[in-house]
Amino acid sequence: MGGYEILTITSLVHFFIVAASIAQPDGTAPMAEFADVFDPAGDPQKAMVGMMQYPNFVSEEWSHVLTWDLFVGRWIWLDGLKRGIFTSHSVLLCNLIGPPGLLLHWATCLVTGKGLPGNEAEAIDELDE
């Protein structure tokens, strides 16, 4: 499976939480509240705080964040293996508070003189040409 086991498990847990919440009466936050999170004219932060009163939303959001932290943490770790960069501190920070772990990895890449990781999308575009 190439190391995707944990990501698959957390993705399935997330899917189960969402599916189970939808099946329950009042199991998910009302869509109007959810839409307020993305309304720049309103108060998105207040809307997000309001949604935290729904236990199923908190469970869904926690599993969502955990899955993405693991995904980015795995990418950092694989980049470090590929390019010989120390990554323990970046992976730890990524799994503790998310995006700053990626920023720390980029800083580590620059400080060690390895440069920023390449953009795989550009490599794919070059293959198409």
Side-chain angles (χ1 to χ4, degrees):
M1 200 166 179
Y4 288 111
E5 293 88 357
I6 297 297
L7 289 173
T8 301
I9 290 168
T10 57
S11 295
L12 288 170
V13 166
H14 179 254
F15 177 75
F16 172 77
I17 290 169
V18 171
S21 295
I22 289 171
Q24 297 175 7
D26 298 324
T28 58
M31 286 307 286
E33 264 187 77
F34 188 74
D36 288 344
V37 172
F38 302 100
D39 181 5
D43 188 351
Q45 186 176 17
K46 181 180 177 187
M48 189 70 164
V49 169
M51 290 178 62
M52 291 297 174
Q53 70 180 328
Y54 301 94
N56 289 338
F57 177 77
V58 173
S59 298
E60 179 278 328
E61 192 61 20
W62 178 81
S63 63
H64 176 131
V65 169
L66 176 62
T67 300
W68 285 106
D69 286 354
L70 289 172
F71 180 79
V72 174
R74 181 179 186 274
W75 179 86
I76 291 169
W77 176 68
L78 290 174
D79 182 58
L81 287 177
K82 179 180 170 184
R83 301 189 312 132
I85 300 168
F86 179 75
T87 60
S88 297
H89 61 302
S90 301
V91 171
L92 177 63
L93 192 60
C94 185
N95 284 297
L96 291 175
I97 59 173
L102 179 61
L103 297 175
L104 181 59
H105 177 63
W106 288 344
T108 302
C109 293
L110 294 173
V111 168
T112 59
K114 303 282 185 168
L116 293 174
N119 183 345
E120 289 85 7
E122 289 174 0
I124 291 170
D125 287 342
E126 290 173 5
L127 290 175
D128 289 339
E129 293 175 358

